Structure formats: C-alpha cells, structure tokens
Amino acid sequence: MNALFPPSVKGTAFMFLFSSRCRSGAPAIFAGIVVSVALSGCASRPTAAVLQPVALKSDRAKEVSVVAVTNRDRQTKDASFGNGRAATTSYDRFTFSIPRNRDGATIQYPSSKPDPSRQFIVTKRETLSDGDLVSKVTGSANFDGTAAVFVHGYNYSYQEALFRTAQMAADAGQIAAPVMFSWPSAASVTGYVADKDAVLYSRTQLDSLLTTLSKTPKVKRVIVFAHSMGGFLAMEVARQLKLQGHDDVLSKLQIVLAAADIDVDVFQSQLRDIGRLPIPITVLVSGTDRALSVSSFVGGERPRIGLLDINDPFIQKTAKSENVRVIDISALKSSDGLGHDRFASLAQFAGDITKADARMRNSGTNVGAFVFDAAGAAVASPFRLVGHIARQ
C-alpha cells in the first residue's frame, strides 16, 4: 500500500507554514496561533442555559429537529451534559427555531431575551429511550432512506455540537432529522490529550449507534460526517466494525472526514485494516487550516490528513489507488478565524453535492483529488478534478 506522503514529503506540510528562513520567529508565530485557538474556543461560549426550551410566538423562522446521542455524563441540576464520561448512552430530540436570514454558517446563540429573527433557539426538547432512536430518525415525512450522523471534534461542548448540527440541517434543506453523536470532549483548549483518550473511550458507543441505524431495513445509507478529532473516532469505529466482521454495516456507511486531525501514517494503517469500502471515503482538506498546523506541531511535526496538498501528483495518484476522494475546500468561508470550520458552509450546497455525487459514482469518477468550486455548482458540478475540467 502506498503512503499518503512519500518519504521526501513527510514533514514538509508543517515546514510550509514555519519555514527555516523564519526559524527565529517560529516560536512567536506558533504562540500567536495558540492564542488564536484559545480565543476562538473561549469567546462567547454558550452555557447549558441555551438548551432550555423557549416558547415563541413568531412562526417566521425555520424549524429543524436534531436527535442527540451522547455518552457524556448527564447533569441532573439543569438536564444538560458535562465533560465526564458516562457508562450509558443518553438520547434526546431537540426542535430549533432557525433564522431564515443569516450570515453564512455563523451561529447566534440565544440571549436572555431570545430573538428568533437572528438567534438559534431551542423550542422543544424530548428525552428518548434507546428504542425511540430509529423511529425518530426514520419517522419524518421527508425521510428518503438516508440517515446522517454528525461527529464533532476537539474542544466542543455538548451544546456547541448540537447547535452546529442544527445549523447544517437548516442549511441543507429538506432532510430527515440528523443525528448528533457527542463524545465527552473536555471542551478546553488544554484538553487535547484528554480528548484523544475520550475518543478511544467512545468507540463502542458510536459503533452501537451506526450498527443500529445500518441494520434498520428502512435505512439504505448512513452518512457519517466527522470533524477534526471526530474523524479519528469515525475511522477507529470503521476499523473496529471491520475487525468484528460487520461488513453489512460498513456497506451502508459513507464516511466524510472534514479537517481530519489524524496522523498520516495512522490513517494509512486504518485504511489498510478497513479495506476498500463500497462507498469511497471522502476527505475534506485545506492547506490553510491553522488549527491543524498547531495539532501537527503538538504531534511532533507530523502531518495531518486535513492538511493534504491536492496539487501534489503523489497525493492525486494515491487517492485513486486507495479509493479515496480528497477535496480541497479552501474556497469556502470560515468563521472561526482559523480556517478549521469551513466544513459548516458545505451544507448550503447539499443539493448540488448530492446530484454531483450520484453522477460521479455512476461514471466511475468519484475517487481522486478535487477542488470544491461553489461557482461550478450552478453549471455542472461543485467538484473540479485537479488539473482538469471535470465532465459530469
């Protein structure tokens, strides 16, 4: 199996950002990025109060529902979820009021005086049993056989992951209730190692969720959209399913890794164990993701999958040989100041992406290296094959 980085290229992804010509200033640059990460993770973070349902008189906003699954510890005082690791899995369903006119993927959390014209607001909440899960996902009138599961990344609280799921569901349009899987992230900039351990702790719970959905006759496909460190969790679960012999579950999975915080060699090992999936894994990358640059530094200057350079001929060749689709989404707008949340803007192109994906699959051109081109969505396809004009 080919490595995703040739020996001569390994390590250069980080050095591209911190070149030897600026070695004397590298510590200052790194410190600046760390400060940016800290500020982006701490500014105006929502408390558990945003989970409390609010009765609204206005019906002008868009309404979406999210099924929430978590192995975080439940807080009895306010019915929220903390950062501790629970031995059981909890299930809830939230209904949101989402403003129709918004600034891209930016989320405005509710204030003490909720304003449905500009803020995301929880209007209903229902605690579910594990037996309710399938009916809540497949029971909506617009369920089309696809179940979507969002797995958040490092430094996320329960409520941040929940509201992000609601934002993407609202932007994607008429889809059945998506599922959020929230693993017990420490929700702290300094909790990187703790989060890595929490990911490993959560493999069995995510495995159970995906197995339950996949074995439901009504469900024909399960999209696992995993961000950052959540991508590491998704790949570990796929590997676990393979080693358990659950090819029937894997056959329904469509794994999308957004800004994946996975060491390149670890990813290669995961691919080798998982084998070729019926639906190719999609990897969303950007060379200007500053959060992943910090992760690379912390990890001993090891390159991360989310920083792959699609213009590298070796990457283009390897993506095809390993049955992987690598898409550069650098053109998408980021709202976190780090280029790490561009994935959230993809939801507004959901219809175009679905159509393009079907065409590419039917024509056998759904693997390789691509550039996401929002302008192209209005013409033929949002995906442009690197070095070519894609004929879809």
Side-chain angles (χ1 to χ4, degrees):
M1 174 176 175
N2 292 320
L4 287 177
F5 279 89
S8 61
V9 177
K10 288 187 177 183
T12 60
F14 181 80
M15 296 310 294
F16 173 77
L17 297 170
F18 303 99
S19 67
S20 57
R21 292 179 299 170
C22 303
R23 189 177 300 278
S24 61
I29 296 173
F30 173 71
I33 293 181
V34 170
V35 170
S36 297
V37 172
L39 291 176
S40 67
C42 297
S44 302
R45 299 193 77 162
T47 67
V50 302
L51 301 177
Q52 299 303 314
V54 176
L56 299 175
K57 296 180 180 179
S58 173
D59 60 355
R60 291 176 296 177
K62 180 180 294 186
E63 183 178 279
V64 299
S65 293
V66 175
V67 174
V69 180
T70 186
N71 61 331
R72 293 174 182 262
D73 60 329
R74 186 183 287 272
Q75 307 294 298
T76 55
K77 62 179 180 179
D78 55 11
S80 65
F81 293 94
N83 306 327
R85 303 165 188 175
T88 58
T89 304
S90 297
Y91 305 85
D92 291 86
R93 183 173 69 164
F94 292 84
T95 300
F96 283 83
S97 167
I98 310 288
R100 293 187 180 277
N101 298 316
R102 293 176 285 113
D103 179 18
T106 301
I107 297 172
Q108 292 289 337
Y109 293 99
S111 59
S112 57
K113 295 182 179 180
D115 180 358
S117 68
R118 63 184 185 85
Q119 296 173 338
F120 288 55
I121 301 170
V122 171
T123 58
K124 297 178 185 177
R125 179 179 181 177
E126 176 186 6
T127 299
L128 309 175
S129 68
D130 56 353
D132 296 326
L133 173 68
V134 171
S135 63
K136 297 302 181 183
V137 174
T138 63
S140 62
N142 54 353
F143 178 71
D144 63 356
T146 297
V149 178
F150 173 60
V151 184
H152 64 77
Y154 149 72
N155 189 22
Y156 261 77
S157 68
Y158 177 87
Q159 48 267 26
E160 287 170 330
L162 178 66
F163 276 67
R164 178 57 72 194
T165 309
Q167 171 263 311
M168 293 191 291
D171 286 351
Q174 296 297 319
I175 61 172
V179 179
M180 172 200 73
F181 179 78
S182 183
W183 50 275
S185 165
S188 168
V189 174
T190 60
Y192 189 85
V193 174
D195 275 13
K196 211 57 174 296
D197 290 340
V199 158
L200 297 177
Y201 174 83
S202 304
R203 288 176 295 188
T204 298
Q205 289 85 354
L206 181 56
D207 179 324
S208 178
L209 171 62
L210 299 182
T211 298
T212 297
L213 293 173
S214 297
K215 289 184 177 295
T216 300
K218 286 185 178 181
V219 176
K220 306 304 179 185
R221 179 178 63 159
V222 180
I223 299 175
V224 184
F225 195 102
H227 175 230
S228 190
M229 196 178 286
F232 177 61
L233 173 55
M235 289 297 292
E236 280 295 288
V237 170
R239 176 180 178 274
Q240 182 168 295
L241 288 166
K242 183 65 177 183
L243 296 179
Q244 293 170 343
H246 293 318
D247 288 346
D248 56 335
V249 176
L250 288 171
S251 68
K252 288 188 176 182
L253 297 189
Q254 180 172 356
I255 300 173
V256 181
L257 306 176
D261 189 0
I262 309 175
D263 176 279
V264 163
D265 287 338
V266 171
F267 184 67
Q268 174 185 324
S269 176
Q270 290 169 328
L271 285 178
R272 182 169 58 246
D273 289 342
I274 296 168
R276 185 167 293 223
L277 295 177
I279 306 177
I281 294 172
T282 296
V283 182
L284 306 178
V285 304
S286 174
T288 57
D289 188 322
R290 297 168 70 199
L292 287 182
S293 297
V294 172
S295 174
S296 176
F297 184 91
V298 172
E301 301 188 11
R302 295 290 309 159
R304 319 311 280 175
I305 286 299
L307 290 174
L308 287 178
D309 180 8
I310 62 165
N311 293 306
D312 185 335
F314 186 87
I315 299 300
Q316 297 169 18
K317 178 181 178 181
T318 305
K320 290 183 178 179
S321 65
E322 299 302 330
N323 199 44
V324 173
R325 178 166 57 179
V326 183
I327 304 173
D328 191 306
I329 60 171
S330 297
L332 289 174
K333 182 180 178 181
S334 172
S335 61
D336 64 0
L338 299 170
H340 197 51
D341 69 350
R342 289 188 175 93
F343 72 95
S345 298
L346 272 178
Q348 63 184 296
F349 302 99
D352 297 309
I353 292 174
T354 299
K355 294 176 183 177
D357 185 64
R359 289 194 296 267
M360 294 166 72
R361 187 168 59 253
N362 292 334
S363 62
T365 59
N366 57 335
V367 296
F370 301 82
V371 174
F372 182 83
D373 179 10
V379 181
S381 171
F383 304 123
R384 176 170 54 82
L385 187 65
V386 176
H388 300 80
I389 300 297
R391 296 178 178 177
Q392 305 299 342

